[in-house]
Amino acid sequence: MLEWIRQLGRSGISQFETLGRANLFLLKTLVGLPGLLRRPGLLVAQLWSVGVLSLLIIVVSGLFVGMVLGLQGYNTLVDFGAEESLGVAVALSIVRELGPVVTALLFAGRAGSALAAEIGLMKATEQLSGMEMMAVDPIHRVIAPRFLAGFISMPLLAAIFSAVGVYGGYFVGVGLLGVDDGAYWSQMQDKVDLFDDILNGVIKSLVFGWVVTWIAVFEGYDAVPTSEGVSRATTRTVVYAALAVLGLDFVLTALMFGD
Amino acid sequence: MKSNKTTELMVGMFIAAGAAALFVLAMRVSNLSSFSAGDTYHLTARFENIGGLKVRSAVTVGGVNVGRVTKIDYDSERFQAVVTLDVENRYNRFPEDTAAAIYTAGLLGEQYVALEPGGSEEVLKDGSQIELTQSALVLEKLVSKFLFEKAAEGEKK
């Protein structure tokens, strides 16, 4: 019994230690960000691997999510003779929820896991220690550009996802199912508010980008430097990032739209 | 990794595409494009009952959108709702005896203010008040009136 309680305490302490390490790590990363001004090349290279290479999956998923919403929304709305509101239904669900959330989940799977594996392997092959030996701070040189690249890429990807999704819904609703072209856009413009809906979606994607990238680079940096440790870090990145995104999404939605 | 120039080019295109997507969302999807850019002038109208009229509801003439509701107040001395309408400056030739009515777009749609021009020579100026108004139709009142009349018919027989 006593042993069991001690184990509970030990795991609790280690959880708190990890949390503390993660926060100190974030602080060091943020301190390292201004140094990037002198070496923008590092950031550009990361924007390429984190942002540009995620583009394909984001565009394709956005298109299909929009098309499915168009189809489902039409089938539901046509029962009430309200298929003209399809544009509103598609735009609001994508801009407020699906755009930021699905992008963040895909981003965690596509870019987050890659970041964690890359940094974890760097640690396992002692590249990070090598940098320290040469008096190069690996947090400034390796972590900071990756963190900033994730934070910049995520809102851009979410915006692309939303825009493509709205056009996917347009393609199915107007192109295939025969909703009126003008009604689709005018009802949408009437009901979607720039600040209440679109800006809040952008804020969500900024928060998700921050959290997902933070989890990814921390898990990679904190990985046990073995092949098993790296594989665990990658798995944990995707799982924790997905849980964090969905949990935070509820909190943010309650704060933004809950009144 | 590709050569440095290609990388920079692609990253630049990525950032431009993201910014363009945000621009599309702002201009094409949201209501930003329906904010009138031009100058406006104010008109006020008093209603007994405004129903579900809200700030930013549309103001139309003959179905054409000419402005928005910018303020809704209650006059506790005359027990009336005071609605301020913002009408675009290029529509500044409404006769003084223009009437304002609150209608509903569709069965369950939003409510809006419809202006109906009269025949007077004088035109409404900034700050003028529209004298002829017609309140919003409240469905419950209509139903109860209908039932009351039905009942009255029944008693006569």
mmCIF file of all heavy atoms in Angstrom, chain A residues 82-92 166-167 170 174 179-193 197, chain B residues 24-35 56 58 63 65 68 105 110:
data_model
loop_
_atom_site.group_PDB
_atom_site.id
_atom_site.type_symbol
_atom_site.label_atom_id
_atom_site.label_comp_id
_atom_site.label_asym_id
_atom_site.label_seq_id
_atom_site.Cartn_x
_atom_site.Cartn_y
_atom_site.Cartn_z
ATOM 1 N N ALA A 82 -33.994 25.294 -47.222
ATOM 2 C CA ALA A 82 -33.079 26.385 -46.874
ATOM 3 C C ALA A 82 -31.708 26.143 -47.487
ATOM 4 O O ALA A 82 -30.696 26.533 -46.910
ATOM 5 C CB ALA A 82 -32.977 26.519 -45.356
ATOM 6 N N GLU A 83 -31.640 25.492 -48.647
ATOM 7 C CA GLU A 83 -30.329 25.165 -49.211
ATOM 8 C C GLU A 83 -29.552 26.410 -49.621
ATOM 9 O O GLU A 83 -28.354 26.341 -49.834
ATOM 10 C CB GLU A 83 -30.468 24.206 -50.389
ATOM 11 C CG GLU A 83 -31.161 24.759 -51.615
ATOM 12 C CD GLU A 83 -32.647 24.480 -51.598
ATOM 13 O OE1 GLU A 83 -33.201 24.299 -50.498
ATOM 14 O OE2 GLU A 83 -33.253 24.455 -52.683
ATOM 15 N N GLU A 84 -30.245 27.564 -49.657
ATOM 16 C CA GLU A 84 -29.528 28.807 -49.950
ATOM 17 C C GLU A 84 -28.553 29.160 -48.833
ATOM 18 O O GLU A 84 -27.604 29.892 -49.053
ATOM 19 C CB GLU A 84 -30.525 29.958 -50.119
ATOM 20 C CG GLU A 84 -30.647 30.462 -51.543
ATOM 21 C CD GLU A 84 -31.538 29.582 -52.396
ATOM 22 O OE1 GLU A 84 -32.729 29.505 -52.048
ATOM 23 O OE2 GLU A 84 -31.056 28.980 -53.350
ATOM 24 N N SER A 85 -28.814 28.629 -47.633
ATOM 25 C CA SER A 85 -27.928 28.939 -46.510
ATOM 26 C C SER A 85 -26.695 28.061 -46.490
ATOM 27 O O SER A 85 -25.930 28.116 -45.533
ATOM 28 C CB SER A 85 -28.669 28.756 -45.182
ATOM 29 O OG SER A 85 -29.863 29.471 -45.212
ATOM 30 N N LEU A 86 -26.495 27.266 -47.526
ATOM 31 C CA LEU A 86 -25.359 26.347 -47.546
ATOM 32 C C LEU A 86 -24.037 27.087 -47.351
ATOM 33 O O LEU A 86 -23.173 26.639 -46.602
ATOM 34 C CB LEU A 86 -25.342 25.587 -48.872
ATOM 35 C CG LEU A 86 -24.264 24.523 -48.970
ATOM 36 C CD1 LEU A 86 -24.550 23.405 -48.004
ATOM 37 C CD2 LEU A 86 -24.170 23.982 -50.381
ATOM 38 N N GLY A 87 -23.923 28.251 -48.014
ATOM 39 C CA GLY A 87 -22.678 29.010 -47.903
ATOM 40 C C GLY A 87 -22.374 29.371 -46.464
ATOM 41 O O GLY A 87 -21.234 29.260 -46.016
ATOM 42 N N VAL A 88 -23.406 29.794 -45.713
ATOM 43 C CA VAL A 88 -23.202 30.160 -44.310
ATOM 44 C C VAL A 88 -22.749 28.946 -43.518
ATOM 45 O O VAL A 88 -21.792 29.012 -42.745
ATOM 46 C CB VAL A 88 -24.513 30.685 -43.694
ATOM 47 C CG1 VAL A 88 -24.238 31.271 -42.344
ATOM 48 C CG2 VAL A 88 -25.167 31.678 -44.604
ATOM 49 N N ALA A 89 -23.447 27.817 -43.728
ATOM 50 C CA ALA A 89 -23.130 26.616 -42.954
ATOM 51 C C ALA A 89 -21.698 26.180 -43.211
ATOM 52 O O ALA A 89 -20.938 25.928 -42.269
ATOM 53 C CB ALA A 89 -24.101 25.492 -43.326
ATOM 54 N N VAL A 90 -21.317 26.142 -44.488
ATOM 55 C CA VAL A 90 -19.960 25.700 -44.833
ATOM 56 C C VAL A 90 -18.939 26.684 -44.277
ATOM 57 O O VAL A 90 -17.980 26.294 -43.591
ATOM 58 C CB VAL A 90 -19.823 25.570 -46.363
ATOM 59 C CG1 VAL A 90 -18.367 25.356 -46.738
ATOM 60 C CG2 VAL A 90 -20.661 24.419 -46.869
ATOM 61 N N ALA A 91 -19.151 27.975 -44.529
ATOM 62 C CA ALA A 91 -18.138 28.960 -44.146
ATOM 63 C C ALA A 91 -17.976 29.016 -42.631
ATOM 64 O O ALA A 91 -16.853 29.029 -42.129
ATOM 65 C CB ALA A 91 -18.509 30.332 -44.686
ATOM 66 N N LEU A 92 -19.096 29.040 -41.889
ATOM 67 C CA LEU A 92 -18.966 29.165 -40.431
ATOM 68 C C LEU A 92 -18.300 27.939 -39.844
ATOM 69 O O LEU A 92 -17.426 28.050 -38.989
ATOM 70 C CB LEU A 92 -20.343 29.386 -39.794
ATOM 71 C CG LEU A 92 -20.863 30.809 -39.856
ATOM 72 C CD1 LEU A 92 -22.140 30.927 -39.062
ATOM 73 C CD2 LEU A 92 -19.846 31.779 -39.326
ATOM 74 N N VAL A 166 -13.829 26.537 -48.358
ATOM 75 C CA VAL A 166 -15.012 27.284 -48.793
ATOM 76 C C VAL A 166 -15.245 27.069 -50.294
ATOM 77 O O VAL A 166 -16.379 26.884 -50.742
ATOM 78 C CB VAL A 166 -14.844 28.783 -48.464
ATOM 79 C CG1 VAL A 166 -15.889 29.612 -49.169
ATOM 80 C CG2 VAL A 166 -14.938 28.990 -46.972
ATOM 81 N N TYR A 167 -14.142 27.040 -51.059
ATOM 82 C CA TYR A 167 -14.303 26.804 -52.496
ATOM 83 C C TYR A 167 -14.687 25.354 -52.790
ATOM 84 O O TYR A 167 -15.386 25.083 -53.763
ATOM 85 C CB TYR A 167 -13.030 27.212 -53.247
ATOM 86 C CG TYR A 167 -13.019 28.681 -53.539
ATOM 87 C CD1 TYR A 167 -12.389 29.573 -52.682
ATOM 88 C CD2 TYR A 167 -13.703 29.186 -54.636
ATOM 89 C CE1 TYR A 167 -12.424 30.929 -52.912
ATOM 90 C CE2 TYR A 167 -13.737 30.540 -54.883
ATOM 91 C CZ TYR A 167 -13.093 31.403 -54.017
ATOM 92 O OH TYR A 167 -13.145 32.744 -54.261
ATOM 93 N N TYR A 170 -18.267 25.301 -52.330
ATOM 94 C CA TYR A 170 -18.854 25.999 -53.479
ATOM 95 C C TYR A 170 -18.928 25.060 -54.680
ATOM 96 O O TYR A 170 -19.939 24.992 -55.385
ATOM 97 C CB TYR A 170 -17.994 27.222 -53.804
ATOM 98 C CG TYR A 170 -18.372 27.946 -55.072
ATOM 99 C CD1 TYR A 170 -19.454 28.818 -55.090
ATOM 100 C CD2 TYR A 170 -17.652 27.758 -56.235
ATOM 101 C CE1 TYR A 170 -19.794 29.482 -56.236
ATOM 102 C CE2 TYR A 170 -17.988 28.427 -57.393
ATOM 103 C CZ TYR A 170 -19.057 29.282 -57.388
ATOM 104 O OH TYR A 170 -19.407 29.935 -58.534
ATOM 105 N N VAL A 174 -22.707 24.583 -55.459
ATOM 106 C CA VAL A 174 -23.147 25.351 -56.617
ATOM 107 C C VAL A 174 -22.902 24.567 -57.909
ATOM 108 O O VAL A 174 -23.759 24.496 -58.781
ATOM 109 C CB VAL A 174 -22.424 26.715 -56.665
ATOM 110 C CG1 VAL A 174 -22.830 27.494 -57.899
ATOM 111 C CG2 VAL A 174 -22.732 27.491 -55.410
ATOM 112 N N VAL A 179 -27.131 24.816 -56.071
ATOM 113 C CA VAL A 179 -27.473 25.957 -55.216
ATOM 114 C C VAL A 179 -27.171 27.229 -56.011
ATOM 115 O O VAL A 179 -26.242 27.258 -56.828
ATOM 116 C CB VAL A 179 -26.647 25.922 -53.918
ATOM 117 C CG1 VAL A 179 -26.883 27.165 -53.084
ATOM 118 C CG2 VAL A 179 -26.981 24.697 -53.114
ATOM 119 N N ASP A 180 -27.951 28.281 -55.751
ATOM 120 C CA ASP A 180 -27.749 29.510 -56.506
ATOM 121 C C ASP A 180 -26.392 30.131 -56.169
ATOM 122 O O ASP A 180 -26.016 30.233 -54.999
ATOM 123 C CB ASP A 180 -28.873 30.489 -56.180
ATOM 124 C CG ASP A 180 -28.732 31.751 -57.009
ATOM 125 O OD1 ASP A 180 -28.645 31.612 -58.241
ATOM 126 O OD2 ASP A 180 -28.680 32.841 -56.416
ATOM 127 N N ASP A 181 -25.676 30.513 -57.217
ATOM 128 C CA ASP A 181 -24.330 31.065 -57.069
ATOM 129 C C ASP A 181 -24.327 32.309 -56.178
ATOM 130 O O ASP A 181 -23.564 32.422 -55.223
ATOM 131 C CB ASP A 181 -23.814 31.389 -58.480
ATOM 132 C CG ASP A 181 -22.383 31.876 -58.453
ATOM 133 O OD1 ASP A 181 -21.703 31.606 -57.454
ATOM 134 O OD2 ASP A 181 -21.960 32.514 -59.427
ATOM 135 N N GLY A 182 -25.216 33.252 -56.490
ATOM 136 C CA GLY A 182 -25.242 34.506 -55.736
ATOM 137 C C GLY A 182 -25.642 34.288 -54.297
ATOM 138 O O GLY A 182 -25.082 34.896 -53.390
ATOM 139 N N ALA A 183 -26.618 33.381 -54.078
ATOM 140 C CA ALA A 183 -27.083 33.143 -52.711
ATOM 141 C C ALA A 183 -25.974 32.555 -51.861
ATOM 142 O O ALA A 183 -25.825 32.909 -50.693
ATOM 143 C CB ALA A 183 -28.286 32.205 -52.721
ATOM 144 N N TYR A 184 -25.190 31.665 -52.449
ATOM 145 C CA TYR A 184 -24.095 31.037 -51.696
ATOM 146 C C TYR A 184 -23.179 32.106 -51.106
ATOM 147 O O TYR A 184 -22.886 32.107 -49.915
ATOM 148 C CB TYR A 184 -23.308 30.113 -52.632
ATOM 149 C CG TYR A 184 -22.230 29.294 -51.963
ATOM 150 C CD1 TYR A 184 -22.524 28.079 -51.368
ATOM 151 C CD2 TYR A 184 -20.919 29.737 -51.934
ATOM 152 C CE1 TYR A 184 -21.546 27.325 -50.759
ATOM 153 C CE2 TYR A 184 -19.924 28.981 -51.324
ATOM 154 C CZ TYR A 184 -20.242 27.778 -50.743
ATOM 155 O OH TYR A 184 -19.267 27.041 -50.147
ATOM 156 N N TRP A 185 -22.743 33.052 -51.961
ATOM 157 C CA TRP A 185 -21.789 34.067 -51.471
ATOM 158 C C TRP A 185 -22.476 35.151 -50.651
ATOM 159 O O TRP A 185 -21.940 35.589 -49.639
ATOM 160 C CB TRP A 185 -21.043 34.711 -52.640
ATOM 161 C CG TRP A 185 -20.141 33.768 -53.346
ATOM 162 C CD1 TRP A 185 -20.270 33.320 -54.627
ATOM 163 C CD2 TRP A 185 -18.974 33.115 -52.833
ATOM 164 N NE1 TRP A 185 -19.274 32.439 -54.938
ATOM 165 C CE2 TRP A 185 -18.452 32.295 -53.853
ATOM 166 C CE3 TRP A 185 -18.321 33.139 -51.608
ATOM 167 C CZ2 TRP A 185 -17.314 31.514 -53.686
ATOM 168 C CZ3 TRP A 185 -17.196 32.365 -51.447
ATOM 169 C CH2 TRP A 185 -16.699 31.568 -52.478
ATOM 170 N N SER A 186 -23.661 35.585 -51.087
ATOM 171 C CA SER A 186 -24.241 36.742 -50.395
ATOM 172 C C SER A 186 -24.711 36.359 -49.000
ATOM 173 O O SER A 186 -24.519 37.109 -48.048
ATOM 174 C CB SER A 186 -25.397 37.323 -51.211
ATOM 175 O OG SER A 186 -26.467 36.431 -51.244
ATOM 176 N N GLN A 187 -25.298 35.159 -48.854
ATOM 177 C CA GLN A 187 -25.704 34.728 -47.507
ATOM 178 C C GLN A 187 -24.475 34.580 -46.612
ATOM 179 O O GLN A 187 -24.502 34.906 -45.431
ATOM 180 C CB GLN A 187 -26.412 33.373 -47.594
ATOM 181 C CG GLN A 187 -27.748 33.458 -48.279
ATOM 182 C CD GLN A 187 -28.877 33.305 -47.289
ATOM 183 O OE1 GLN A 187 -28.666 33.004 -46.124
ATOM 184 N NE2 GLN A 187 -30.088 33.526 -47.744
ATOM 185 N N MET A 188 -23.399 34.077 -47.217
ATOM 186 C CA MET A 188 -22.153 33.910 -46.462
ATOM 187 C C MET A 188 -21.630 35.258 -45.986
ATOM 188 O O MET A 188 -21.312 35.449 -44.816
ATOM 189 C CB MET A 188 -21.130 33.226 -47.367
ATOM 190 C CG MET A 188 -19.865 32.801 -46.695
ATOM 191 S SD MET A 188 -18.675 32.212 -47.883
ATOM 192 C CE MET A 188 -19.451 30.784 -48.536
ATOM 193 N N GLN A 189 -21.581 36.223 -46.920
ATOM 194 C CA GLN A 189 -21.045 37.533 -46.557
ATOM 195 C C GLN A 189 -21.943 38.231 -45.545
ATOM 196 O O GLN A 189 -21.482 39.033 -44.745
ATOM 197 C CB GLN A 189 -20.898 38.396 -47.804
ATOM 198 C CG GLN A 189 -19.751 37.931 -48.667
ATOM 199 C CD GLN A 189 -19.711 38.628 -49.998
ATOM 200 O OE1 GLN A 189 -20.576 39.443 -50.300
ATOM 201 N NE2 GLN A 189 -18.715 38.301 -50.794
ATOM 202 N N ASP A 190 -23.233 37.870 -45.586
ATOM 203 C CA ASP A 190 -24.160 38.504 -44.670
ATOM 204 C C ASP A 190 -23.940 38.012 -43.236
ATOM 205 O O ASP A 190 -24.049 38.773 -42.289
ATOM 206 C CB ASP A 190 -25.581 38.166 -45.119
ATOM 207 C CG ASP A 190 -26.560 39.187 -44.627
ATOM 208 O OD1 ASP A 190 -26.162 40.363 -44.549
ATOM 209 O OD2 ASP A 190 -27.708 38.826 -44.327
ATOM 210 N N LYS A 191 -23.632 36.743 -43.092
ATOM 211 C CA LYS A 191 -23.627 36.130 -41.759
ATOM 212 C C LYS A 191 -22.235 35.959 -41.157
ATOM 213 O O LYS A 191 -22.103 35.800 -39.945
ATOM 214 C CB LYS A 191 -24.307 34.758 -41.824
ATOM 215 C CG LYS A 191 -25.767 34.815 -42.167
ATOM 216 C CD LYS A 191 -26.562 35.096 -40.935
ATOM 217 C CE LYS A 191 -27.989 35.519 -41.211
ATOM 218 N NZ LYS A 191 -28.612 35.039 -42.401
ATOM 219 N N VAL A 192 -21.198 35.925 -41.979
ATOM 220 C CA VAL A 192 -19.853 35.707 -41.442
ATOM 221 C C VAL A 192 -19.247 37.060 -41.109
ATOM 222 O O VAL A 192 -19.178 37.933 -41.958
ATOM 223 C CB VAL A 192 -18.969 34.963 -42.462
ATOM 224 C CG1 VAL A 192 -17.567 34.783 -41.893
ATOM 225 C CG2 VAL A 192 -19.566 33.615 -42.779
ATOM 226 N N ASP A 193 -18.848 37.215 -39.848
ATOM 227 C CA ASP A 193 -18.316 38.496 -39.418
ATOM 228 C C ASP A 193 -16.792 38.450 -39.435
ATOM 229 O O ASP A 193 -16.181 37.454 -39.048
ATOM 230 C CB ASP A 193 -18.810 38.811 -38.009
ATOM 231 C CG ASP A 193 -18.480 40.236 -37.626
ATOM 232 O OD1 ASP A 193 -19.228 41.130 -38.075
ATOM 233 O OD2 ASP A 193 -17.487 40.462 -36.924
ATOM 234 N N ASP A 197 -15.793 35.946 -36.431
ATOM 235 C CA ASP A 197 -15.575 34.610 -36.968
ATOM 236 C C ASP A 197 -14.170 34.421 -37.511
ATOM 237 O O ASP A 197 -13.443 33.531 -37.091
ATOM 238 C CB ASP A 197 -16.608 34.332 -38.066
ATOM 239 C CG ASP A 197 -18.012 34.416 -37.511
ATOM 240 O OD1 ASP A 197 -18.225 33.908 -36.412
ATOM 241 O OD2 ASP A 197 -18.879 35.005 -38.164
ATOM 242 N N VAL B 24 -8.686 36.443 -49.057
ATOM 243 C CA VAL B 24 -9.915 35.881 -49.624
ATOM 244 C C VAL B 24 -10.961 35.719 -48.537
ATOM 245 O O VAL B 24 -12.129 36.085 -48.700
ATOM 246 C CB VAL B 24 -9.626 34.523 -50.308
ATOM 247 C CG1 VAL B 24 -10.915 33.773 -50.576
ATOM 248 C CG2 VAL B 24 -8.873 34.743 -51.596
ATOM 249 N N LEU B 25 -10.518 35.192 -47.366
ATOM 250 C CA LEU B 25 -11.472 34.991 -46.279
ATOM 251 C C LEU B 25 -12.074 36.323 -45.865
ATOM 252 O O LEU B 25 -13.278 36.430 -45.623
ATOM 253 C CB LEU B 25 -10.774 34.352 -45.082
ATOM 254 C CG LEU B 25 -10.413 32.879 -45.242
ATOM 255 C CD1 LEU B 25 -9.706 32.376 -44.016
ATOM 256 C CD2 LEU B 25 -11.653 32.048 -45.485
ATOM 257 N N ALA B 26 -11.224 37.352 -45.781
ATOM 258 C CA ALA B 26 -11.718 38.651 -45.322
ATOM 259 C C ALA B 26 -12.663 39.267 -46.354
ATOM 260 O O ALA B 26 -13.737 39.763 -46.020
ATOM 261 C CB ALA B 26 -10.549 39.585 -45.036
ATOM 262 N N MET B 27 -12.262 39.248 -47.620
ATOM 263 C CA MET B 27 -13.026 39.987 -48.627
ATOM 264 C C MET B 27 -14.205 39.193 -49.175
ATOM 265 O O MET B 27 -15.272 39.719 -49.415
ATOM 266 C CB MET B 27 -12.115 40.369 -49.807
ATOM 267 C CG MET B 27 -11.000 41.311 -49.450
ATOM 268 S SD MET B 27 -11.565 42.761 -48.554
ATOM 269 C CE MET B 27 -12.524 43.562 -49.836
ATOM 270 N N ARG B 28 -13.983 37.906 -49.382
ATOM 271 C CA ARG B 28 -14.971 37.136 -50.121
ATOM 272 C C ARG B 28 -15.957 36.455 -49.178
ATOM 273 O O ARG B 28 -17.127 36.319 -49.480
ATOM 274 C CB ARG B 28 -14.219 36.088 -50.951
ATOM 275 C CG ARG B 28 -15.052 35.228 -51.820
ATOM 276 C CD ARG B 28 -15.151 35.761 -53.224
ATOM 277 N NE ARG B 28 -16.108 34.943 -53.941
ATOM 278 C CZ ARG B 28 -16.758 35.313 -55.027
ATOM 279 N NH1 ARG B 28 -16.523 36.471 -55.540
ATOM 280 N NH2 ARG B 28 -17.625 34.535 -55.608
ATOM 281 N N VAL B 29 -15.455 36.006 -48.026
ATOM 282 C CA VAL B 29 -16.306 35.221 -47.136
ATOM 283 C C VAL B 29 -16.985 36.101 -46.092
ATOM 284 O O VAL B 29 -18.146 35.908 -45.771
ATOM 285 C CB VAL B 29 -15.474 34.108 -46.454
ATOM 286 C CG1 VAL B 29 -16.317 33.341 -45.466
ATOM 287 C CG2 VAL B 29 -14.908 33.171 -47.493
ATOM 288 N N SER B 30 -16.264 37.095 -45.567
ATOM 289 C CA SER B 30 -16.850 37.844 -44.452
ATOM 290 C C SER B 30 -17.614 39.053 -44.963
ATOM 291 O O SER B 30 -17.690 39.314 -46.154
ATOM 292 C CB SER B 30 -15.768 38.290 -43.483
ATOM 293 O OG SER B 30 -15.220 39.500 -43.923
ATOM 294 N N ASN B 31 -18.148 39.794 -44.004
ATOM 295 C CA ASN B 31 -19.004 40.924 -44.345
ATOM 296 C C ASN B 31 -18.205 42.188 -44.596
ATOM 297 O O ASN B 31 -18.783 43.249 -44.696
ATOM 298 C CB ASN B 31 -19.989 41.166 -43.206
ATOM 299 C CG ASN B 31 -19.278 41.301 -41.888
ATOM 300 O OD1 ASN B 31 -18.054 41.222 -41.830
ATOM 301 N ND2 ASN B 31 -20.014 41.497 -40.833
ATOM 302 N N LEU B 32 -16.880 42.068 -44.684
ATOM 303 C CA LEU B 32 -16.073 43.279 -44.845
ATOM 304 C C LEU B 32 -16.466 44.026 -46.109
ATOM 305 O O LEU B 32 -16.568 45.246 -46.121
ATOM 306 C CB LEU B 32 -14.595 42.891 -44.927
ATOM 307 C CG LEU B 32 -13.641 44.079 -44.970
ATOM 308 C CD1 LEU B 32 -13.711 44.848 -43.676
ATOM 309 C CD2 LEU B 32 -12.229 43.621 -45.227
ATOM 310 N N SER B 33 -16.734 43.255 -47.185
ATOM 311 C CA SER B 33 -17.028 43.904 -48.461
ATOM 312 C C SER B 33 -18.352 44.647 -48.433
ATOM 313 O O SER B 33 -18.594 45.518 -49.259
ATOM 314 C CB SER B 33 -17.034 42.862 -49.569
ATOM 315 O OG SER B 33 -17.840 41.783 -49.191
ATOM 316 N N SER B 34 -19.229 44.293 -47.451
ATOM 317 C CA SER B 34 -20.516 44.971 -47.449
ATOM 318 C C SER B 34 -20.520 46.199 -46.549
ATOM 319 O O SER B 34 -21.523 46.881 -46.446
ATOM 320 C CB SER B 34 -21.631 44.001 -47.047
ATOM 321 O OG SER B 34 -21.315 43.396 -45.838
ATOM 322 N N PHE B 35 -19.386 46.463 -45.864
ATOM 323 C CA PHE B 35 -19.296 47.745 -45.167
ATOM 324 C C PHE B 35 -19.249 48.835 -46.225
ATOM 325 O O PHE B 35 -18.447 48.772 -47.149
ATOM 326 C CB PHE B 35 -18.011 47.826 -44.335
ATOM 327 C CG PHE B 35 -18.067 47.059 -43.059
ATOM 328 C CD1 PHE B 35 -17.026 46.238 -42.679
ATOM 329 C CD2 PHE B 35 -19.172 47.154 -42.241
ATOM 330 C CE1 PHE B 35 -17.077 45.525 -41.501
ATOM 331 C CE2 PHE B 35 -19.224 46.447 -41.062
ATOM 332 C CZ PHE B 35 -18.178 45.634 -40.701
ATOM 333 N N ARG B 56 -26.924 46.953 -37.170
ATOM 334 C CA ARG B 56 -26.329 46.410 -38.386
ATOM 335 C C ARG B 56 -27.351 45.702 -39.271
ATOM 336 O O ARG B 56 -26.986 45.117 -40.280
ATOM 337 C CB ARG B 56 -25.145 45.464 -38.117
ATOM 338 C CG ARG B 56 -23.982 46.156 -37.413
ATOM 339 C CD ARG B 56 -22.654 45.507 -37.632
ATOM 340 N NE ARG B 56 -22.374 45.320 -39.027
ATOM 341 C CZ ARG B 56 -22.141 44.146 -39.570
ATOM 342 N NH1 ARG B 56 -22.159 43.063 -38.852
ATOM 343 N NH2 ARG B 56 -21.884 44.069 -40.835
ATOM 344 N N ALA B 58 -30.138 45.624 -42.212
ATOM 345 C CA ALA B 58 -30.077 46.367 -43.469
ATOM 346 C C ALA B 58 -31.176 47.423 -43.563
ATOM 347 O O ALA B 58 -32.223 47.308 -42.931
ATOM 348 C CB ALA B 58 -30.186 45.400 -44.628
ATOM 349 N N GLY B 63 -35.936 47.182 -52.164
ATOM 350 C CA GLY B 63 -35.129 45.970 -52.179
ATOM 351 C C GLY B 63 -33.638 46.213 -52.322
ATOM 352 O O GLY B 63 -32.842 45.295 -52.181
ATOM 353 N N ASN B 65 -30.119 47.629 -51.058
ATOM 354 C CA ASN B 65 -29.502 47.951 -49.784
ATOM 355 C C ASN B 65 -28.877 49.351 -49.857
ATOM 356 O O ASN B 65 -27.990 49.593 -50.664
ATOM 357 C CB ASN B 65 -28.425 46.900 -49.502
ATOM 358 C CG ASN B 65 -28.135 46.805 -48.032
ATOM 359 O OD1 ASN B 65 -28.280 47.794 -47.311
ATOM 360 N ND2 ASN B 65 -27.739 45.634 -47.594
ATOM 361 N N ARG B 68 -27.435 50.924 -43.167
ATOM 362 C CA ARG B 68 -27.543 49.989 -42.044
ATOM 363 C C ARG B 68 -28.138 50.680 -40.835
ATOM 364 O O ARG B 68 -28.059 51.903 -40.700
ATOM 365 C CB ARG B 68 -26.174 49.456 -41.648
ATOM 366 C CG ARG B 68 -25.533 48.654 -42.725
ATOM 367 C CD ARG B 68 -24.564 47.640 -42.211
ATOM 368 N NE ARG B 68 -24.255 46.709 -43.268
ATOM 369 C CZ ARG B 68 -24.941 45.596 -43.514
ATOM 370 N NH1 ARG B 68 -25.952 45.265 -42.745
ATOM 371 N NH2 ARG B 68 -24.613 44.818 -44.508
ATOM 372 N N ALA B 105 -37.311 39.293 -43.870
ATOM 373 C CA ALA B 105 -36.885 38.648 -45.102
ATOM 374 C C ALA B 105 -37.167 37.159 -44.984
ATOM 375 O O ALA B 105 -36.561 36.465 -44.189
ATOM 376 C CB ALA B 105 -35.391 38.878 -45.335
ATOM 377 N N GLU B 110 -34.056 37.489 -41.287
ATOM 378 C CA GLU B 110 -33.704 38.660 -40.515
ATOM 379 C C GLU B 110 -34.698 39.778 -40.776
ATOM 380 O O GLU B 110 -35.323 39.840 -41.842
ATOM 381 C CB GLU B 110 -32.329 39.153 -40.958
ATOM 382 C CG GLU B 110 -31.225 38.193 -40.700
ATOM 383 C CD GLU B 110 -30.425 38.615 -39.494
ATOM 384 O OE1 GLU B 110 -29.942 39.751 -39.494
ATOM 385 O OE2 GLU B 110 -30.318 37.806 -38.553
#
